Amino acid sequence: QVQVVESGGGSVQPGGSLSLSCTTSGFEFADHAMGWFRQVPGKEREGVALISWSGSVKRYRPSVKHRFTVSRDNRKRTVSLQMNNLQPEDTALYYCAALDATEIGTYYDANFPERDVDYWGPGTQVTVSS
């Protein structure tokens, strides 16, 4: 069956770093663009970073651009999110998702519609506080 599982969340002080990983199984990984989303209680889930099936195209939410880096390894079926210079406003539950798309070039602000997400992970909590 399909599995999407995030890991690497935790608590960090402002200015710190975390690296999230997402392992997958049960579907053709290379046929899907992948994305990282996040949600704060009481707010809508938002796209953070997207990566095309090949890894050659990446899109970021403006507030995380130049701080976060998304990458993928199609042989290992994994996708990662390196988060640097974390700020309290980055505190959220972070989700990994397999998208119903191979290319994501038109989603310049990582604003990918949730209705077009094929598979979600359960999420991993990231907390940034002093």
Side-chain angles (χ1 to χ4, degrees), residues 86-107:
L86 282 159
Q87 301 300 316
E89 54 266 32
D90 296 316
T91 295
L93 188 62
Y94 282 71
Y95 297 90
C96 176
L99 312 182
D100 184 17
T102 53
E103 300 294 343
I104 45 81
T106 57
Y107 299 98

Side-chain angles (χ1 to χ4, degrees), residues 22 26 53 55 95 116-117 126-127:
C22 175
W53 74 274
Y95 297 90
D116 291 331
V117 170
V126 171
T127 302

Side-chain angles (χ1 to χ4, degrees), residues 77-93:
R77 304 175 54 91
T78 60
V79 60
S80 301
L81 185 68
Q82 176 64 40
M83 305 185 294
N84 297 327
N85 191 22
L86 282 159
Q87 301 300 316
E89 54 266 32
D90 296 316
T91 295
L93 188 62

Side-chain angles (χ1 to χ4, degrees), residues 20-98:
L20 304 184
S21 294
C22 175
T23 58
T24 71
S25 62
F27 63 96
E28 291 295 331
F29 183 74
D31 286 349
H32 292 263
M34 298 294 293
W36 287 95
F37 297 74
R38 67 187 181 189
Q39 188 171 26
V40 175
K43 293 190 175 181
E44 290 189 355
R45 186 157 42 188
E46 61 187 26
V48 175
L50 310 176
I51 186 166
S52 65
W53 74 274
S54 66
S56 62
V57 180
K58 303 175 184 181
R59 295 290 183 258
Y60 297 95
R61 185 170 196 81
S63 62
V64 309
K65 203 171 183 179
H66 307 304
R67 299 189 297 123
F68 291 11
T69 302
V70 62
S71 60
R72 68 186 291 161
D73 186 326
N74 283 355
R75 286 182 299 175
K76 295 181 180 179
R77 304 175 54 91
T78 60
V79 60
S80 301
L81 185 68
Q82 176 64 40
M83 305 185 294
N84 297 327
N85 191 22
L86 282 159
Q87 301 300 316
E89 54 266 32
D90 296 316
T91 295
L93 188 62
Y94 282 71
Y95 297 90
C96 176

